[in-house]
Every structure is written in structure tokens, then in C-alpha cells.
Amino acid sequence: QTSQRLHRELKLSKTYPSLKRLLPAMVNTLTRTSSKSLIVLLVAVLSPTFVVHAQEATTKVSIIPQPRAITVISESFRLDRTVRVALADSQSKEDQFAARDFIEDVKQTANVSLRTTRSRDRNSILIGKLELPSIQAALKRVGFALLSPLHDEGYVLIAGKEGVVIGGQTSAGVFYGLQTLKQLVRGEGENAYIQGVRITDWPAMRW
């Protein structure tokens, strides 16, 4: 387990140099399994007032760290082997790494094998920078519009019955969005799905 952790830290530091200071904390929350353990720990140490506020904001969807804006919708996206992680920029090494990291986690925690693709259809998880035309078009199709510019490393995450879209202000934002998406995966195998949400978020501190 220690060697796997060190290996993942090394890959992260090479792919996202700006995240180096966050690695000790981030590696512990990079899988759905470890996120559940962290949720239990935080509930034990946080004040009752904060915990109640967090539960109301997420409507029983627990995400760490708590997104700045989240709306839970009554839809879900079925997660099976036909789903593809579509790269809006197929040449982005950072997005390729983030996609592989997500795919490995889904295989480990939900026993579902996903693949990447360059083309996007309805049965896909589309990721990329917000500035890219395919990301902008996907957000427009679901009626989502940013009211103000995102902070650096921020992201939007839209999940519904027809697919998932993650748009990051930077490649680091795409990575953060996929870390949040891991926590929205429910069930295993044929029963695996992603909870429908609309999220806008960015890190509390820049590194």
C-alpha cells in the first residue's frame, strides 16, 4: 500500500507540478474507498452546526472537500463498459493522466472497465478545459452558463442521464473535477451509476 501511494504521488508531481504541496493530503482522497473513511473522520471532528449545513447543501450527497455550489438532481448516469471518457483535447497529457486515474479508480471501486475516446456521444464523460468549443457546446446543450469567471484550478461538473461534462479552467481544474466525480459513483458492476448533480467549485487556496 505504501509503495502504491508513493508511486501515485510521483505520477501526480510529474503531471501537475503546481499540486506538489497538496500531494500528502490528496493521495489519501484519490479513491472512493478512502473518501468514505475520510467522511467518517470529518463527521467525528467537525462541529454539529457545520455538519448539518453540509448535509443540507448536498441533499445527502457527501463530497470532500465540500463544493462551493452544488445542486443534486433526480437523474443518474448509468456507468457500464459502453461508457467512454471523451477527451475534448486528445493531445493534453494532463487530461490523459486524469482520465486514466479516474478509469483505474472506477475499475477498483465499482468493478466497471471504461476506456478513453476522442469522440463524444451521449453515453460519455466529456472532460477538458472550459475554453474548448466541445466543452462550451456540451454545457450549452444542458442549459448551463457560468455567471462569473472561475478561479484558477476551478471546474464545473454536470452529470445527468445523458452523460457527464467536466470543464476546468485549467488542466488542474479538470483533475479536481474528476476527483469529485469519483465520489459520485454509486453501486458496483451492473448496478453502477453516477449521481446527477450540477457543481461549480475551485480550491480554497492556490498553490
Side-chain angles (χ1 to χ4, degrees):
Q1 184 176 5
T2 300
S3 62
Q4 290 178 346
R5 170 179 173 147
L6 292 174
H7 180 61
R8 178 160 286 189
E9 284 190 3
L10 180 60
K11 289 198 298 182
L12 281 169
S13 64
K14 288 181 177 179
T15 308
Y16 303 95
S18 63
L19 302 183
K20 284 183 178 179
R21 291 188 182 181
L22 289 176
L23 290 179
M26 288 179 61
V27 172
N28 287 330
T29 59
L30 288 179
T31 67
R32 183 157 58 120
T33 302
S34 58
S35 294
K36 290 178 180 178
S37 299
L38 189 54
I39 289 170
V40 173
L41 176 61
L42 286 179
V43 169
V45 300
L46 291 173
S47 68
T49 301
F50 182 89
V51 172
V52 170
H53 174 74
Q55 290 174 341
E56 291 174 349
T58 59
T59 315
K60 298 183 181 179
V61 172
S62 297
I63 298 175
I64 298 176
Q66 178 72 21
R68 295 176 181 272
I70 176 172
T71 300
V72 180
I73 62 177
S74 58
E75 294 182 4
S76 62
F77 177 60
R78 184 178 178 183
L79 199 58
D80 58 34
R81 62 182 183 180
T82 67
V83 172
R84 298 290 181 263
V85 179
L87 305 179
D89 178 5
S90 61
Q91 303 302 312
S92 171
K93 299 298 183 183
E94 293 86 357
D95 290 355
Q96 290 174 18
F97 172 85
R100 287 195 301 269
D101 177 73
F102 175 75
I103 289 172
E104 290 173 2
D105 186 76
V106 170
K107 176 62 177 177
Q108 177 184 347
T109 64
N111 195 28
V112 177
S113 298
L114 306 178
R115 296 181 181 179
T116 59
T117 183
R118 296 183 180 182
S119 60
R120 197 257 176 175
D121 57 32
R122 289 189 175 184
N123 198 38
S124 67
I125 299 169
L126 177 65
I127 67 170
K129 293 181 181 178
L130 279 167
E131 65 189 26
L132 296 173
S134 59
I135 295 293
Q136 294 180 7
L139 293 176
K140 184 177 181 180
R141 279 194 295 270
V142 297
F144 182 86
L146 280 173
L147 300 180
S148 59
L150 281 180
H151 293 223
D152 286 350
E153 301 179 354
Y155 66 90
V156 297
L157 190 165
I158 310 296
K161 62 183 179 181
E162 295 187 351
V164 178
V165 182
I166 295 177
Q169 187 69 19
T170 61
S171 292
V174 176
F175 177 81
Y176 282 125
L178 282 167
Q179 301 314 301
T180 296
L181 188 62
K182 290 178 184 180
Q183 300 181 59
L184 295 170
V185 175
R186 303 287 187 267
E188 297 181 7
E190 296 180 354
N191 298 317
Y193 67 95
I194 292 173
Q195 171 64 51
V197 293
R198 293 192 170 203
I199 292 174
T200 303
D201 195 23
W202 61 86
M205 298 179 64
R206 292 183 58 188
W207 298 91

